[in-house]
Amino acid sequence: MYKPALLIGTALCAAALGACTTTATDTTMAPTAPTQTAIPQGTGVFADPSGLPFHAPDFTRIQDSDFKPAIEQGMAIEKAEWQAIADNPQAPTFDNTIVALQRTGRMLDRAQRVFSVMTGTVTNDTLDAVDAELSPRLAAHSDALYLNDEIFARVKAVYDNRAAMSMTVEDAVLLEKTYERFVHAGAELSPEAKAQLRDINTRLSALSTEFSQTLTQATKDEALVVSDRAALAGLSDAEITAAATSATERGLDGQYVIALQNTTQQPLLSSLDNRDTRKALYEKSWNRTVGGGDNDTRALIKEIATLRAQKAALFGEPDYASYQMYDRMAETPENAIAFMNGLAAPTAKAQAEDAAAINAMIKAEGGDFTVQPWDWDYYASKVRAEKFDLDDNATKPYFEVNRVLEDGVFFAANKLYGLTFKKRTDIPVWHPTVSVYTVYDADGSELALFYFDPFQRDNKRGGAWMSGFVGQSHLFDEMPVIYNVLNIPPPAEGEPALASFDNVETIFHEFGHALHGMFADQRYPSLSGTATPRDFVEFPSQANEKWAVEPTVLANYARHYETGEPMPAELLQKVQESQTFDQGYALGETLAAAMLDMDWHDLAAGEIPADVNAFEAAALAETGLHTNLVPPRYRTSYFRHVWASGYAAGYYAYLWTEMLSANTGEWFDANGGMTRANGQKFRDTVLSRGGTIDYNDAFRALTGSDPQVQPLLRARGLLDDGQ
């Protein structure tokens, strides 16, 4: 997952679907014409760029109490910078208007980027309170730019004169996207509609923050507490010890706590022998936010959905999905829905076949029941073990987290792109388990700084994501400072940090996002790196997952944590052969969630349901999938991507970009696989281009054709032979 670097964002980035990376080396605008507007000077730790390498944040100097005044000062400075642009007596030009906007908001940007990682990974009551207070004010701050008639008049004047101007390709793209963002944000609405929009945006920001905080608390509160060690049969001694430690940390000595992950299914469901324990864990997950108490999110969801539909109506759009998709590769909700519907039939067929195999396994073991959602992973693991003679517990000792990163992810990046990495201990971090690396380009020059935060914490939001503290920009001569966050269950003290293969794939996935940010080569920050639409931004990350099972890569990192011996060749082969197993489930849970997201955002303002659960049940029933057995990866009530992380009407992007990456994977294979030449072409065509390209053109330039769905189904093992 790509997470926007900013909560609301330096204003020009806010409307870019959250997909921009922007920082600076100065706190003032550097206007290009005389102006009488005074620009305030910031104070405190965020007033100036850090003196650390790459301008990395100095966490030794940053306190919780710094954020509110820094963000408030940052907003005041940026407003003055905007006013200076509006007051400029000279005629609007590309430099004194469009580029000048790129130069605004440097202090606010620095403060928000650090605030984002703190609230996402090590939050507390103080930070949550600041977040709740400031998020609606930041939404209003963004509106102060995009609904400013004077500034839009200048932007429009430059845009209308574009045919007579001499610009670089990137200049032209910046002008066009700046104009589009203003229009999409409401610059052409009537005064009455603008007033309504301001109120809606402010309220939506507050609601999204409240949803996110409520979900984090619910995920913590609804952890499964087990009193009897025997109920945990099937877990390893290390996993049971970790559960006991988690209980002790919560003041529950002598008991065991299984913390919830953000998804519907929980990792330990594949190992727990006790069916009652499996059911209890599943139900804790499924019902975490529908219990009717303080952690129930359904009222928030109804209000968010209503306000989004009302916002779309202000723009003359029939629903929020239509409003959102103005710049997507898929172009319209209808195209995205048709794409997903095309996946439903082969996925449902695979689910039925897999369920039959699982039920046969249950019967063979003497069970008198048929598979339920809490049974699926457990018995699928048994079917997998029988079919491939492969047991997850046999592979985990070969997937030590740091070795996966350094000997797997970094090794692949070296083979493809010539990158090298050096671990650092002189860069402060926000948590002791975070590690930092300098990234060197193929010519030996410094390219980026990279942070890795792998382990689950109670005060860390669920999921995995990439973001950054500093975005690449030639305008400010800045190199990227990138971080990856995951939620791998932490090891007990003194034990190795071992990962499931799903975790391994996630490490590769998030580093694909990191590469997209590291290879950025743009002049303007709002076009840099990951500044692309939702249904393109996941493409580099999906593509990077391919290398997790590349034989030379897998052989390099899959080594036993105790002996260092490589995974036996026959076990390596089994891991590779098993990649298409259980794909009815793996694809189905994502597809169901994506279809559910689109159903919520395909509603007009008067169609928002009163009963969230009933609407969800009806929507899932219409998917054609077996959602009674394979529930959506995220239920409506804990779908953070959609209600708090910018993926509204956009979760389909994970499938769309999987299609792109599957096509790309076949292109790699047809052209020699993991070679420097292929890596360089991918870098030159996609990874280094940021938001400066036509994404369909870029894909065709890479692969020589438009994307087709067959490679996706083929990669999932869902096509018959020969298709």
Side-chain angles (χ1 to χ4, degrees):
M1 175 184 176
Y2 170 71
K3 183 178 186 297
L6 311 183
L7 300 179
I8 295 299
T10 298
L12 274 171
C13 302
L17 297 175
C20 63
T21 51
T22 170
T23 69
T25 56
D26 58 348
T27 58
T28 59
M29 187 186 68
T32 59
T35 177
Q36 300 302 311
T37 305
I39 308 297
Q41 296 298 305
T43 60
V45 67
F46 296 109
D48 298 299
S50 159
L52 294 177
F54 296 85
H55 300 304
D58 188 349
F59 286 97
T60 64
R61 299 178 56 215
I62 297 170
Q63 305 296 321
D64 289 351
S65 58
D66 291 327
F67 290 108
K68 182 180 176 182
I71 292 172
E72 289 177 331
Q73 285 186 54
M75 287 191 288
I77 291 168
E78 189 167 39
K79 284 181 179 178
E81 293 169 339
W82 293 338
Q83 194 60 48
I85 295 171
D87 291 345
N88 191 331
Q90 294 188 357
T93 66
F94 181 79
D95 188 60
N96 71 21
T97 301
I98 308 303
V99 178
L101 284 168
Q102 293 287 294
R103 296 182 180 276
T104 66
R106 315 322 302 172
M107 179 176 177
L108 179 60
D109 184 52
R110 283 191 289 271
Q112 282 191 270
R113 285 175 178 272
V114 178
F115 189 61
S116 180
V117 81
M118 298 295 286
T119 55
T121 67
V122 287
T123 197
N124 55 46
D125 290 344
T126 298
L127 294 175
D128 283 349
V130 173
D131 198 10
E133 178 184 351
L134 292 183
S135 61
R137 293 171 60 185
L138 284 161
H141 178 72
S142 178
D143 284 342
L145 170 65
Y146 286 105
L147 303 183
N148 184 307
D149 292 336
E150 294 175 300
I151 293 179
F152 179 61
R154 294 182 68 89
V155 170
K156 188 174 187 303
V158 179
Y159 180 77
D160 289 345
N161 191 45
R162 64 194 183 281
M165 297 166 56
S166 176
M167 294 182 288
T168 67
V169 171
E170 188 173 344
D171 289 347
V173 173
L174 177 66
L175 175 57
E176 181 177 355
K177 290 197 173 183
T178 300
Y179 177 77
E180 287 178 351
R181 288 168 190 161
F182 270 86
V183 172
H184 187 68
E188 293 186 326
L189 295 178
S190 69
E192 295 77 15
K194 285 181 179 178
Q196 294 178 57
L197 181 62
R198 287 187 179 95
D199 290 342
I200 288 173
N201 286 344
T202 298
R203 181 60 180 157
L204 279 173
S205 181
L207 289 168
S208 293
T209 300
E210 185 178 355
F211 176 90
S212 183
Q213 293 181 357
T214 301
L215 176 53
T216 297
Q217 190 63 45
T219 301
K220 177 182 177 180
D221 291 349
E222 295 305 311
L224 179 66
V225 180
V226 176
S227 299
D228 184 3
R229 180 186 173 106
L232 300 180
L235 301 188
S236 67
D237 288 342
E239 288 169 332
I240 293 174
T241 299
T245 300
S246 181
T248 299
E249 290 172 349
R250 297 182 183 218
L252 300 172
D253 290 347
Q255 300 188 73
Y256 306 88
V257 167
I258 300 177
L260 295 183
Q261 299 276 14
N262 62 317
T263 52
T264 296
Q265 288 289 357
Q266 301 298 303
L268 297 186
L269 286 171
S270 64
S271 302
L272 286 162
D273 292 332
N274 187 301
R275 192 172 189 232
D276 289 338
T277 306
R278 292 200 306 272
K279 182 178 180 181
L281 178 58
Y282 174 85
E283 290 183 339
K284 280 286 190 179
S285 175
W286 183 250
N287 296 314
R288 74 185 83 172
T289 44
V290 295
D294 291 342
N295 290 336
D296 196 311
T297 60
R298 288 174 292 181
L300 297 173
I301 287 165
K302 287 190 290 186
E303 188 174 358
I304 292 170
T306 299
L307 289 172
R308 285 176 173 172
Q310 291 174 354
K311 179 175 178 175
L314 289 176
F315 288 85
E317 297 288 358
D319 49 63
Y320 193 70
S322 298
Y323 171 77
Q324 282 285 82
M325 294 185 68
Y326 79 106
D327 68 342
R328 303 278 175 87
M329 283 187 74
E331 297 180 343
T332 67
E334 291 75 20
N335 289 342
I337 291 168
F339 164 69
M340 290 188 286
N341 285 340
L343 298 176
T347 304
K349 179 176 180 288
Q351 289 175 339
E353 292 170 350
D354 292 344
I358 289 172
N359 284 328
M361 173 65 72
I362 293 171
K363 185 176 180 180
E365 292 193 348
D368 60 354
F369 57 89
T370 57
V371 64
Q372 296 300 312
W374 50 88
D375 301 314
W376 190 292
D377 277 355
Y378 180 75
Y379 284 99
S381 294
K382 288 176 174 286
V383 174
R384 180 170 175 257
E386 182 180 81
K387 183 174 183 179
F388 298 100
D389 190 22
L390 181 63
D391 180 359
D392 283 340
N393 290 328
T395 61
K396 275 188 177 182
Y398 294 93
F399 298 144
E400 194 277 322
V401 170
N402 286 323
R403 189 184 292 275
V404 171
L405 178 70
E406 295 182 353
D407 294 345
V409 172
F410 290 173
F411 175 80
N414 175 260
K415 294 299 181 184
L416 285 163
Y417 310 111
L419 302 186
T420 54
F421 302 81
K422 181 180 179 181
K423 193 167 186 177
R424 306 189 65 144
T425 58
D426 60 327
I427 303 292
V429 294
W430 59 92
H431 190 272
T433 58
V434 176
S435 52
V436 188
Y437 300 83
T438 298
V439 185
Y440 297 92
D441 213 337
D443 63 0
S445 63
E446 290 183 335
L447 178 68
L449 197 65
F450 174 69
Y451 297 74
F452 184 62
D453 181 359
F455 298 120
Q456 184 183 42
R457 295 186 283 275
D458 276 347
N459 59 346
K460 188 181 199 179
R461 73 174 181 84
W465 65 94
M466 164 268 182
S467 195
F469 297 121
V470 181
Q472 179 276 333
S473 166
H474 296 307
L475 182 66
F476 299 110
D477 194 26
E478 293 280 349
M479 292 187 290
V481 178
I482 305 295
Y483 61 85
N484 280 173
V485 176
L486 295 91
N487 268 277
I488 299 171
E493 187 174 355
E495 295 291 330
L498 303 181
S500 67
F501 191 72
D502 283 347
N503 293 144
V504 170
E505 287 185 312
T506 301
I507 297 172
F508 275 83
H509 176 101
E510 295 306 331
F511 195 75
H513 283 307
L515 289 170
H516 200 186
M518 291 174 187
F519 286 147
D521 189 21
Q522 281 68 59
R523 174 167 175 77
Y524 302 114
S526 68
L527 298 177
S528 181
T530 52
T532 72
R534 285 283 179 224
D535 56 5
F536 193 83
V537 77
E538 295 293 336
F539 171 32
S541 54
Q542 299 267 21
N544 205 57
E545 290 182 30
K546 172 181 174 63
W547 310 118
V549 292
E550 176 73 13
T552 56
V553 179
L554 190 57
N556 199 63
Y557 72 82
R559 293 177 175 271
H560 199 280
Y561 75 92
E562 288 180 315
T563 66
E565 290 296 312
M567 183 182 283
E570 61 272 19
L571 190 54
L572 277 172
Q573 184 176 356
K574 291 172 185 176
V575 170
Q576 292 167 315
E577 290 174 347
S578 69
Q579 291 310 292
T580 58
F581 174 73
D582 201 27
Q583 289 304 305
Y585 191 100
L587 181 57
E589 63 168 358
T590 302
L591 181 57
M595 296 172 95
L596 183 61
D597 163 37
M598 197 62 76
D599 282 337
W600 272 106
H601 292 100
D602 202 29
L603 298 172
E607 298 175 341
I608 307 303
D611 188 327
V612 170
N613 287 3
F615 176 83
E616 175 184 79
L620 293 176
E622 291 176 359
T623 62
L625 301 169
H626 298 284
T627 56
N628 59 318
L629 302 179
V630 182
R633 184 170 177 82
Y634 300 100
R635 192 178 188 183
T636 297
S637 59
Y638 49 83
F639 208 160
R640 191 192 300 266
H641 284 75
V642 166
W643 306 117
S645 294
Y647 278 75
Y651 196 71
Y652 78 91
Y654 284 98
L655 298 169
W656 184 274
T657 53
E658 184 180 344
M659 174 178 65
L660 302 182
S661 67
N663 281 254
T664 302
E666 292 192 354
W667 171 83
F668 269 104
D669 292 342
N671 289 275
M674 176 177 273
T675 67
R676 280 284 291 114
N678 286 343
Q680 193 65 42
K681 183 173 182 180
F682 191 44
R683 175 177 178 172
D684 292 343
T685 309
V686 174
L687 295 179
S688 65
R689 302 297 300 280
T692 67
I693 53 177
D694 178 287
Y695 306 107
N696 287 293
D697 287 347
F699 186 83
R700 284 189 289 268
L702 176 68
T703 65
S705 65
D706 291 324
Q708 304 295 319
V709 74
Q710 286 81 6
L712 186 161
L713 295 173
R714 195 155 38 238
R716 292 276 191 168
L718 299 180
L719 277 185
D720 295 332
D721 291 343
Q723 288 186 276

